[in-house]
């Protein structure tokens, strides 16, 4: 089977992007990061892509008179790379309904909470404030609503005594990387069927999201 073409959208640091690029170099990954699109010309992740020889298209929001004009160019940039899958990894914008329609259920987002808990920002602080004993991250299908859409898979980590939001975020980040790589491998394998409001998984006949185990397998 040909390698799946993956385009990654970022707005910042790009650590998830870096993890994907590194993972994609394994012979059995089944995918390749063919392009990066960012809405910010100061995104640190741009350098990550360039160092790896992955082409980057910068579409700065402030260059456009309207959201619609910005999105038209952004969506063309994504499509220009011919993606099979589109991964939002720290991309700080909600895709428009037009973009979601155009990308035909091929866009996934990684979010640092156990959705449906804590869509939006400050997820780690909110988990601590709620007294949660377990925190985590989710990979979900993108729909035109912030951090909603069916969850493909999650990873959980314990909340430790005395955790700060920063410590929790840092501990979660490496597990996010593993979750995202496992999910992109799964998508690239063609074993997930995607319908507008539901994901179904071959043979397993499951209806809930996968969970990443300690061996980085989706179970
Ligand atoms: C991650 O925590 C991701 O879950 C969230 O934004 C952060 C991006 O980090 N959506 P990075 O840019 O991949 O380092």
């Amino acid at each position: 089977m040909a390698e799946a073409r993956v385009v990654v959208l970022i707005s910042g640091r790009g650590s998830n992007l870096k993890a994907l690029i590194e993972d994609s170099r394994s012979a059995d990954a089944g995918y390749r990061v063919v392009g990066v699109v960012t809405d910010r010309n100061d995104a640190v992740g741009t350098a990550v892509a360039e160092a790896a020889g992955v082409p980057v298209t910068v579409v700065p929001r402030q260059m456009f008179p309207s959201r619609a004009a910005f999105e038209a160019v952004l969506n063309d940039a994504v499509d220009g790379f011919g993606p099979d899958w589109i991964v939002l990894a720290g991309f700080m914008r909600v895709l428009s309904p037009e973009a979601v329609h155009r990308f035909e259920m091929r866009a996934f987002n990684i979010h640092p909470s156990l959705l449906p808990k804590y869509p939006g920002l400050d997820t780690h602080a909110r988990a601590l404030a709620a007294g949660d004993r377990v925190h985590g991250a989710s990979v979900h299908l993108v729909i035109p609503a912030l951090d909603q859409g069916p969850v493909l898979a999650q990873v959980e980590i314990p909340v430790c005594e005395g955790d700060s939001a920063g410590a929790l975020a840092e501990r979660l980040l490496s597990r996010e990387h593993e979750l995202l790589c496992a999910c992109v491998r799964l998508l690239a394998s063609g074993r997930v069927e995607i319908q507008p409001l539901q994901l179904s998984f071959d043979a397993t006949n499951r209806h809930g999201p996968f969970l990443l185990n300690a061996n980085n397998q989706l179970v």
Side-chain angles (χ1 to χ4, degrees):
M1 199 160 70
E3 281 181 329
R5 297 173 64 83
V6 175
V7 171
V8 184
L9 273 65
I10 61 166
S11 297
R13 175 179 55 179
S15 70
N16 277 284
L17 166 67
K18 186 164 189 276
L20 285 173
I21 291 173
E22 284 170 4
D23 181 57
S24 71
R25 291 185 174 144
S26 301
D28 62 347
Y31 71 95
R32 195 156 52 93
V33 179
V34 295
V36 171
V37 178
T38 179
D39 60 326
R40 299 187 60 112
N41 43 23
D42 59 352
V44 175
T46 301
V48 169
E50 282 164 355
V54 176
V56 179
T57 305
V58 184
V59 186
R61 171 66 183 90
Q62 69 272 18
M63 300 271 292
F64 296 88
S66 65
R67 182 179 167 191
F70 160 71
E71 285 180 350
V73 173
L74 184 92
N75 298 342
D76 281 350
V78 172
D79 252 351
F81 288 117
D84 296 304
W85 300 104
I86 297 146
V87 175
L88 279 60
F91 184 66
M92 302 303 282
R93 295 182 180 279
V94 178
L95 287 192
S96 62
E98 293 73 26
V100 174
H101 179 68
R102 180 164 167 180
F103 299 137
E104 290 169 334
M105 311 295 161
R106 284 177 292 137
F108 283 79
N109 179 46
I110 180 148
H111 181 73
S113 80
L114 292 173
L115 291 171
K117 280 187 168 182
Y118 320 129
L121 298 175
D122 301 325
T123 56
H124 315 295
R126 287 156 72 196
L128 288 176
D132 292 354
R133 305 314 308 160
V134 177
H135 185 45
S138 308
V139 170
H140 67 92
L141 186 66
V142 172
I143 64 170
L146 183 67
D147 301 327
Q148 289 166 48
V151 173
L152 174 64
Q154 296 181 316
V155 65
E156 297 178 347
I157 63 166
V159 176
C160 301
E161 205 57 46
D163 258 342
S164 64
L168 198 51
E170 196 178 313
R171 245 191 12 267
L172 181 59
L173 192 62
S174 61
R175 294 296 280 152
E176 281 190 37
H177 297 162
E178 288 158 348
L179 175 69
L180 188 57
C181 293
C183 284
V184 175
R185 282 178 180 236
L186 177 70
L187 293 169
S189 74
R191 289 188 295 123
V192 181
E193 188 184 324
I194 301 167
Q195 291 135 13
L197 287 173
Q198 137 181 7
L199 301 169
S200 58
F201 310 100
D202 73 327
T204 61
N205 200 20
R206 63 190 295 140
H207 299 291
F210 282 97
L211 201 59
L212 191 75
N213 71 12
N215 299 320
N216 293 332
Q217 285 158 339
L218 293 171
V219 293

